[in-house]
Amino acid sequence: MIKTITIDPIKSEEAQSEVYQDLYNGIVNAVLYPNPNEGYFNVNIFLEREGKIEISIHSLTGQLLGVDKAIGKEVSRTYNFNNLESGMYIFIIRTGKQTKALKFIKL
C-alpha cells in the first residue's frame, strides 16, 4: 500500500506567528563586561527581533551553575556570582536559531 502525503507551503501570516519568529531569531551581538570580574557582571544581548532568550552559566567541566530566561530584542542583565571559585566560566545564550557562548574569568 502506498500512502501519499501532501505538504502545503506555509502561508505568510503563519510565518509571522510567535512560534516561527522564535525559531528563526538570531543573536546580533552579546557583550559580557567587565571581564575579568569578581563574580558581578553585566550582559547585553541584541537580537534580530523580539523573542525568547535562554541563558545558562556553566563551569568548564560542564556543571550547570545558573539559568535565566528573558524576552526582548535588547536585553540587559546584571548577575552576581561572587560565590564562585576563581576560574573560567561559560555564559551560554540560546535563541531558537542560534547559540552563543561567552567565556569570562572570575578573579
Side-chain angles (χ1 to χ4, degrees):
M1 174 183 233
I2 297 176
K3 192 172 195 176
T4 302
I5 299 173
T6 303
I7 301 174
D8 294 324
I10 297 174
K11 297 176 184 165
S12 62
E13 61 266 7
E14 289 179 75
Q16 295 302 316
S17 74
E18 181 181 330
V19 172
Y20 290 109
Q21 285 183 7
D22 284 343
L23 286 175
Y24 298 103
N25 199 6
I27 300 166
V28 174
N29 194 15
V31 181
L32 185 151
Y33 64 94
N35 191 13
N37 59 64
E38 299 210 7
Y40 188 81
F41 57 91
N42 302 297
V43 177
N44 296 335
I45 303 166
F46 303 92
L47 302 181
E48 293 171 352
R49 63 185 153 274
E50 186 167 325
K52 296 177 185 175
I53 303 167
E54 294 180 10
I55 298 164
S56 58
I57 299 172
H58 301 263
S59 69
L60 287 181
T61 62
Q63 178 184 9
L64 179 63
L65 303 172
V67 294
D68 193 9
K69 291 184 180 186
I71 296 176
K73 182 176 179 182
E74 297 179 9
V75 174
S76 295
R77 290 278 205 263
T78 300
Y79 294 95
N80 184 353
F81 282 91
N82 60 2
N83 59 329
L84 295 178
E85 294 181 23
S86 296
M88 187 175 290
Y89 295 89
I90 303 171
F91 189 91
I92 298 176
I93 304 162
R94 288 185 186 88
T95 65
K97 175 181 177 182
Q98 192 175 3
T99 299
K100 183 171 183 88
L102 304 173
K103 293 180 185 173
F104 71 94
I105 298 171
K106 201 275 186 177
L107 300 174

